[in-house]
Amino acid sequence: MDSFPARVARYERVDRGQDTYGEGSRLEQAIAYYVDHLLEESVARALTHGGRRPRRQVDLLISLSGFSPLTTILTFEILRPKRLLILSSSDAVDCINVINKHVYERRKMKYSDATYRVCAPTDPLEIYRIVKSELDRFQEPGIDPPYALIDITGGRKVMSAAAALAAWQLQLDLCYVDSTYDPVARRAIPGSDRFLLLDNPTSLFGEQAMHAALETFKTGAFGEAARRYGELSVSVAEPAKARFMKGLADLYRAWCDLDLTELATCVDAVEALLDQSRNLLSAETVTRIEGQLEFLTRLRKGDGQALLVCFFVLGQHYREVGRHDFAALLFYRTIEGSLANRLASLASGFSCKSPDYHLLTADVSGLDEACREVLGGIGRAPLGSALPPVIGLISAAVILTALDDPVVGKAGLKGAKALSNLDTLVTARNRSVLAHGDQPVTDKQSRLLEAKARLLLRAYWALNGPEGDVEQLCESLRFLRNDH
């Protein structure tokens, strides 16, 4: 057999009409010669020069066909798909006969497995519908979708662009056979081909997928957001931001769950990721995240004041995403904790779980009488002692009122009307699904509980908290809603 260069030289002569090969037009003879004498080695060279191969056998090759059938034939031989769909414009029908002759007669493909469709090359929606229809035709219930590739080598440029958009929408891979172009003969030089498997544009650059993941993140569905960012971190060309956002979503999920063990791991992970991603984030965002990490470190170490702030911040988050029963529970814990911590701060060793009232006052009977009077003012006069064995939220408010503690005035709890209002809010929470009843917490009740929790937290902080504005601290701990 002649050498490959010698065969290429004859092919060029046949193509120019200086030699003959069989019957038909000059173009038909050149194509026939190429298929008979150059195709096999061209395929081998294309694979040798190319990059990645398809991850498994191709179930469906969708090939764009222009004025030369050789691009489709070459890609078909490289991939040997189970089925073939040829897309062509109305003025490229002659090429279809050559392609069909090759796949039917030479490769013995079934007629039902190789089809062609004429489409408008400038209409991406039509191309999308054709491809989607073909994919659906071979989709079986309970079976993974067929592995399909769109070959954009042939066809007009606008048709390739439209096909790329269809691949983008359907999450299909693209392939392309790159060749050295002969400007005189106006065709590819045989043997210069190399097969290229192209990533889907959405997985390669990922802007839209990143935006979709951010929208999920903003809704508070941090588990799902972490999953999406995790997928993007192994597929996009620049994965640093996706990796950071996955770490942040994992952190916020553990924070929402108050999973302190998982939170420790997540804090360490975000600290490491933050060092790698500072150039992707604004200085304001970096400062905010660093503050959150510092706060969460305090929370992990069992800081009771940090836990109070955490309850309030999480309550705000859940109210904003419309989960009012969770928000009510967290605002309740903020109010309860502020009152209990204030009581505990009045005497060393005093505990609301097992209260020794002698630590609060030498006149325990006088305190009992004062509490009885306060309870009577809100219609809850007890039959026995007004000093309970375990101090709950309302009991704590009553005892602090009886003691005329300054937190009462600062929190707006002074007087029977104010205490009655607090009692009403607590009752709404106690009747909720997450407490002892079956009534949903309304948006209005959630907002009222938030306002009361803010007052109590602010009053407690002014008397017992560290220096600094607690509301400013809470604002800095609000979950991020952006990725920059």
Side-chain angles (χ1 to χ4, degrees), residues 185-362:
R186 302 184 67 180
R187 55 166 171 70
I189 298 174
S192 67
D193 317 287
R194 62 192 187 102
F195 175 78
L196 301 176
L197 184 64
L198 309 176
D199 287 303
N200 186 294
T202 52
S203 62
L204 182 61
F205 300 108
E207 284 89 351
Q208 288 200 359
M210 285 289 288
H211 178 73
L214 178 59
E215 290 302 306
T216 301
F217 180 88
K218 287 161 66 174
T219 67
F222 298 122
E224 175 61 17
R227 184 192 67 78
R228 291 190 177 197
Y229 281 123
E231 291 175 350
L232 286 165
S233 69
V234 296
S235 64
V236 296
E238 299 293 339
K241 180 172 285 189
R243 289 173 184 163
F244 175 77
M245 291 303 295
K246 179 189 183 303
L248 190 62
D250 282 331
L251 176 76
Y252 285 175
R253 177 190 51 76
W255 190 350
C256 283
D257 294 343
L258 284 174
D259 186 341
L260 299 184
T261 301
E262 181 67 17
L263 199 56
T265 303
C266 293
V267 166
D268 293 341
V270 172
E271 284 178 341
L273 288 165
L274 187 59
D275 288 337
Q276 303 166 17
S277 308
R278 289 176 184 271
N279 62 321
L280 302 174
L281 306 168
S282 67
E284 180 184 356
T285 295
V286 170
T287 300
R288 187 168 175 180
I289 293 172
E290 287 177 336
Q292 291 181 350
L293 294 175
E294 182 182 351
F295 173 82
L296 291 173
T297 299
R298 288 172 52 200
L299 184 66
R300 287 162 47 196
K301 293 179 179 178
D303 186 321
Q305 291 179 334
L307 185 60
L308 272 185
V309 172
C310 178
F311 286 149
F312 184 72
V313 170
L314 291 182
Q316 287 184 309
H317 166 72
Y318 279 116
R319 187 187 63 73
E320 288 170 358
V321 299
R323 303 186 70 179
H324 298 299
D325 289 273
F326 282 92
L329 175 62
L330 289 158
F331 291 140
Y332 179 96
R333 292 295 305 274
T334 306
I335 296 168
E336 181 183 51
S338 297
L339 293 169
N341 283 10
R342 177 58 185 169
L343 264 178
S345 74
L346 298 181
S348 177
F350 186 82
S351 168
C352 288
K353 293 180 180 178
S354 181
D356 180 353
Y357 293 104
H358 292 92
L359 296 175
L360 294 179
T361 177

Side-chain angles (χ1 to χ4, degrees), residues 319 331 335 421 425 443-453:
R319 187 187 63 73
F331 291 140
I335 296 168
N421 175 262
L425 287 175
D443 176 70
K444 180 180 179 180
Q445 290 169 333
S446 177
R447 288 179 182 275
L448 290 172
L449 277 164
E450 178 184 7
K452 190 62 69 176

Side-chain angles (χ1 to χ4, degrees), residues 4 31 42 57 80 111 122 157 178 183 188 248 271 318 322 332 362 376 425 464 473 484:
F4 188 74
I31 291 173
S42 293
Q57 184 180 8
R80 292 292 182 89
Y111 286 102
T122 58
K157 292 180 180 178
D178 188 31
L248 190 62
E271 284 178 341
Y318 279 116
Y332 179 96
L425 287 175
N464 295 96
L473 172 61
H484 56 268

